[in-house]
Coordinates of all heavy atoms in Angstrom, one line a residue:
A1135 N 30.0 22.6 -11.7 CA 29.5 22.5 -13.1 C 29.8 23.7 -13.9 O 30.1 23.6 -15.2 CB 28.0 22.2 -13.1
H1136 N 29.8 24.9 -13.4 CA 30.1 26.1 -14.1 C 31.6 26.2 -14.5 O 31.9 26.9 -15.4 CB 29.6 27.3 -13.3 CG 28.2 27.3 -13.0 ND1 27.2 27.4 -14.0 CD2 27.5 27.2 -11.8 CE1 26.0 27.3 -13.4 NE2 26.2 27.2 -12.1
V1137 N 32.4 25.5 -13.7 CA 33.8 25.6 -14.0 C 34.3 24.4 -14.8 O 35.0 24.6 -15.8 CB 34.7 25.7 -12.7 CG1 36.2 25.7 -13.0 CG2 34.2 26.8 -11.8
I1138 N 33.8 23.2 -14.5 CA 34.4 22.0 -15.2 C 33.3 21.1 -15.8 O 33.6 20.0 -16.2 CB 35.2 21.2 -14.2 CG1 34.4 20.7 -13.0 CG2 36.5 21.9 -13.8 CD1 35.1 19.7 -12.1
G1139 N 32.1 21.6 -15.9 CA 31.0 20.8 -16.5 C 31.2 20.8 -18.1 O 31.5 21.8 -18.7
E1140 N 30.9 19.7 -18.6 CA 31.1 19.5 -20.1 C 30.1 20.4 -20.8 O 30.4 21.0 -21.8 CB 30.9 18.0 -20.5 CG 31.3 17.7 -21.9 CD 32.8 17.9 -22.1 OE1 33.7 17.9 -21.2 OE2 33.2 18.2 -23.3
T1141 N 28.8 20.4 -20.4 CA 27.8 21.1 -21.1 C 27.4 22.4 -20.4 O 26.7 23.2 -21.0 CB 26.5 20.2 -21.3 OG1 26.1 19.8 -20.1 CG2 26.9 19.0 -22.2
S1142 N 27.8 22.6 -19.2 CA 27.4 23.7 -18.4 C 28.5 24.7 -18.0 O 28.3 25.5 -17.2 CB 26.6 23.3 -17.1 OG 27.5 22.4 -16.4
Q1143 N 29.7 24.4 -18.6 CA 30.8 25.3 -18.3 C 30.6 26.7 -18.8 O 30.2 27.0 -19.9 CB 32.1 24.7 -19.0 CG 33.4 25.3 -18.5 CD 34.6 24.6 -19.2 OE1 34.6 24.4 -20.4 NE2 35.6 24.4 -18.4
A1144 N 30.8 27.6 -17.8 CA 30.6 29.1 -18.2 C 31.6 29.5 -19.2 O 32.8 29.0 -19.3 CB 30.8 29.9 -16.9
K1145 N 31.3 30.4 -20.0 CA 32.1 30.9 -21.1 C 33.5 31.4 -20.6 O 34.5 31.2 -21.3 CB 31.4 32.1 -21.9 CG 30.3 31.6 -22.7 CD 29.6 32.8 -23.4 CE 28.4 32.3 -24.2 NZ 27.8 33.4 -24.9
A1146 N 33.6 31.9 -19.5 CA 34.8 32.4 -18.9 C 35.8 31.3 -18.7 O 37.1 31.5 -18.7 CB 34.6 33.1 -17.6
F1147 N 35.4 30.0 -18.6 CA 36.3 28.9 -18.4 C 36.5 28.0 -19.6 O 37.4 27.2 -19.6 CB 35.7 28.0 -17.3 CG 35.5 28.8 -16.0 CD1 34.2 29.1 -15.5 CD2 36.6 29.2 -15.2 CE1 34.0 29.8 -14.4 CE2 36.4 30.0 -14.1 CZ 35.1 30.2 -13.6
V1148 N 35.7 28.2 -20.6 CA 35.8 27.3 -21.8 C 37.2 27.6 -22.5 O 37.6 28.7 -22.7 CB 34.7 27.6 -22.8 CG1 34.9 26.9 -24.2 CG2 33.3 27.3 -22.2
G1149 N 37.9 26.5 -22.7 CA 39.2 26.6 -23.4 C 40.3 26.9 -22.4 O 41.5 26.8 -22.8
R1150 N 40.0 27.3 -21.2 CA 41.0 27.5 -20.2 C 41.0 26.5 -19.1 O 42.1 26.1 -18.6 CB 40.7 28.9 -19.5 CG 40.9 30.1 -20.4 CD 40.9 31.4 -19.6 NE 41.9 31.4 -18.5 CZ 41.6 31.3 -17.2 NH1 40.4 31.3 -16.8 NH2 42.6 31.3 -16.3
W1151 N 39.9 26.0 -18.7 CA 39.8 24.9 -17.7 C 39.4 23.6 -18.3 O 38.7 23.5 -19.3 CB 38.7 25.3 -16.7 CG 39.2 26.2 -15.6 CD1 39.4 27.5 -15.6 CD2 39.6 25.7 -14.3 NE1 39.8 27.9 -14.4 CE2 40.0 26.9 -13.6 CE3 39.6 24.5 -13.7 CZ2 40.4 26.8 -12.3 CZ3 40.0 24.4 -12.4 CH2 40.5 25.6 -11.7
W1152 N 40.0 22.6 -17.7 CA 39.6 21.2 -18.1 C 38.2 20.9 -17.7 O 37.6 21.7 -16.9 CB 40.6 20.2 -17.5 CG 41.0 20.5 -16.1 CD1 42.0 21.3 -15.6 CD2 40.3 20.1 -14.9 NE1 42.1 21.3 -14.3 CE2 41.0 20.7 -13.8 CE3 39.1 19.4 -14.6 CZ2 40.6 20.5 -12.5 CZ3 38.7 19.2 -13.3 CH2 39.5 19.7 -12.3
T1153 N 37.6 19.8 -18.1 CA 36.3 19.4 -17.7 C 36.3 18.0 -17.1 O 37.4 17.4 -17.2 CB 35.3 19.4 -19.0 OG1 35.8 18.4 -19.9 CG2 35.3 20.8 -19.6
M1154 N 35.2 17.6 -16.6 CA 35.1 16.2 -16.1 C 35.4 15.2 -17.2 O 36.0 14.2 -16.9 CB 33.7 16.0 -15.5 CG 33.5 16.7 -14.2 SD 34.4 16.1 -12.8 CE 33.5 14.7 -12.4
A1155 N 35.0 15.5 -18.4 CA 35.3 14.6 -19.5 C 36.8 14.5 -19.7 O 37.3 13.4 -20.1 CB 34.6 15.1 -20.8
T1156 N 37.6 15.6 -19.5 CA 39.0 15.5 -19.6 C 39.6 14.5 -18.6 O 40.4 13.7 -19.0 CB 39.6 16.9 -19.3 OG1 39.1 17.9 -20.1 CG2 41.1 16.9 -19.4
I1157 N 39.1 14.5 -17.4 CA 39.5 13.5 -16.4 C 39.2 12.1 -16.9 O 40.0 11.2 -16.9 CB 38.9 13.8 -15.1 CG1 39.3 15.1 -14.5 CG2 39.2 12.7 -14.0 CD1 38.5 15.6 -13.3
A1158 N 38.0 11.9 -17.3 CA 37.5 10.6 -17.8 C 38.4 10.1 -19.0 O 38.8 8.9 -19.0 CB 36.0 10.6 -18.2
N1159 N 38.6 11.0 -19.9 CA 39.4 10.6 -21.1 C 40.9 10.2 -20.7 O 41.4 9.3 -21.2 CB 39.5 11.7 -22.1 CG 38.1 11.9 -22.8 OD1 37.3 11.0 -22.8 ND2 37.8 13.1 -23.3
K1160 N 41.5 11.0 -19.8 CA 42.8 10.7 -19.3 C 42.9 9.3 -18.6 O 43.9 8.6 -18.6 CB 43.3 11.8 -18.4 CG 43.7 13.1 -19.1 CD 44.2 14.1 -18.1 CE 45.5 13.7 -17.4 NZ 46.0 14.7 -16.5
A1161 N 41.8 9.0 -17.9 CA 41.8 7.8 -17.1 C 41.3 6.6 -17.8 O 41.4 5.4 -17.3 CB 40.8 8.0 -15.9
A1162 N 40.7 6.7 -19.0 CA 40.0 5.7 -19.7 C 40.9 4.4 -20.0 O 40.4 3.3 -19.7 CB 39.5 6.2 -21.0
D1163 N 42.1 4.6 -20.4 CA 42.9 3.4 -20.7 C 43.2 2.6 -19.5 O 43.1 1.4 -19.5 CB 44.3 3.8 -21.3 CG 44.1 4.3 -22.8 OD1 43.1 4.0 -23.4 OD2 45.1 4.9 -23.3
K1164 N 43.5 3.2 -18.4 CA 43.8 2.5 -17.1 C 42.5 1.9 -16.6 O 42.5 0.7 -16.1 CB 44.4 3.4 -16.1 CG 44.8 2.7 -14.8 CD 45.6 3.6 -13.8 CE 46.0 2.8 -12.6 NZ 46.7 3.7 -11.6
I1165 N 41.4 2.6 -16.7 CA 40.1 2.0 -16.2 C 39.7 0.8 -17.1 O 39.3 -0.2 -16.6 CB 39.0 3.1 -16.2 CG1 39.3 4.1 -15.1 CG2 37.6 2.4 -16.0 CD1 38.4 5.3 -15.0
N1166 N 39.9 0.9 -18.4 CA 39.7 -0.3 -19.2 C 40.5 -1.5 -18.8 O 40.1 -2.6 -18.8 CB 39.9 0.1 -20.7 CG 38.8 0.9 -21.3 OD1 37.6 0.8 -20.9 ND2 39.1 1.7 -22.3
K1167 N 41.8 -1.2 -18.5 CA 42.7 -2.3 -18.1 C 42.2 -2.9 -16.7 O 42.3 -4.1 -16.5 CB 44.1 -1.8 -18.0 CG 44.8 -1.6 -19.3 CD 46.2 -1.0 -19.2 CE 46.7 -0.6 -20.5 NZ 48.0 0.1 -20.4
I1168 N 41.7 -2.1 -15.9 CA 41.2 -2.6 -14.6 C 40.1 -3.5 -14.8 O 40.0 -4.6 -14.2 CB 40.8 -1.4 -13.7 CG1 42.0 -0.6 -13.2 CG2 39.9 -1.8 -12.5 CD1 41.7 0.8 -12.6
W1169 N 39.2 -3.1 -15.7 CA 38.0 -4.0 -15.9 C 38.3 -5.2 -16.8 O 37.7 -6.3 -16.6 CB 36.8 -3.2 -16.5 CG 36.3 -2.3 -15.4 CD1 36.6 -1.0 -15.2 CD2 35.4 -2.7 -14.4 NE1 35.9 -0.6 -14.0 CE2 35.2 -1.6 -13.5 CE3 34.8 -3.9 -14.1 CZ2 34.4 -1.7 -12.4 CZ3 34.0 -4.0 -13.0 CH2 33.8 -2.9 -12.1

Side-chain angles (χ1 to χ4, degrees):
H1136 300 296
V1137 180
I1138 59 173
E1140 191 65 26
T1141 58
S1142 56
Q1143 191 176 43
K1145 289 180 184 180
F1147 302 109
V1148 173
R1150 294 193 53 249
W1151 271 82
W1152 42 268
T1153 64
M1154 288 291 281
T1156 305
I1157 298 169
N1159 290 336
K1160 285 179 65 178
D1163 287 344
K1164 185 173 179 182
I1165 290 173
N1166 284 330
K1167 288 176 186 172
I1168 289 167
W1169 288 97

